[in-house]
Amino acid sequence: MLFYDFLYYLIYRFYSSYNEKGAASTSAGIIGGFQALNVFTIVLVFKLPDAKNVEINKLFVITLCIIFQITTYIRYIYRENHSVDVIEKQWRNKSQSSRKKISTFLLLYGLISIVSAFGLAIYIGSFK
């Protein structure tokens, strides 16, 4: 899961540049949020053909968020093979052009994830 590892590392670097003490846990929370948002978007896409009668179960959304928050927190905070130091070594082994491409791709991923999830939610909500 190198994709999310690099995203975690870049978010961690951003927050730690502001001397944020909880940069590791904040970054893990953001990654979990992105993963939950992606699953939520997929659920909305499948419900799109019947957009007038869509009901989103609040318990499902809360459970989804909690599951992703817990799993990403454990992955990045308690697992040594996904620590910031390990990911940083992998990141530094990439060439400068490769790092720039990956950073651009991850930025696009974040923007598309946010826009698609909220855009679909607003679009489906407009039918009510």
Side-chain angles (χ1 to χ4, degrees), residues 53-108:
N53 298 323
V54 172
E55 290 292 326
I56 302 296
N57 186 344
K58 292 177 186 91
L59 183 61
F60 167 75
V61 174
I62 292 170
T63 305
L64 184 72
C65 290
I66 289 172
I67 288 170
F68 280 112
Q69 292 300 322
I70 290 171
T71 56
T72 56
Y73 191 81
I74 291 170
R75 177 183 172 90
Y76 292 113
I77 304 302
Y78 293 112
R79 305 279 186 213
E80 288 297 320
N81 57 344
H82 295 290
S83 69
V84 173
D85 297 330
V86 171
I87 299 170
E88 184 176 21
K89 286 178 187 174
Q90 292 174 345
W91 180 254
R92 293 195 186 276
N93 287 338
K94 303 283 183 189
S95 67
Q96 184 67 26
S97 62
S98 179
R99 283 187 270 183
K100 188 170 176 97
K101 287 177 188 176
I102 293 170
S103 296
T104 303
F105 179 72
L106 291 173
L107 177 66
L108 287 173

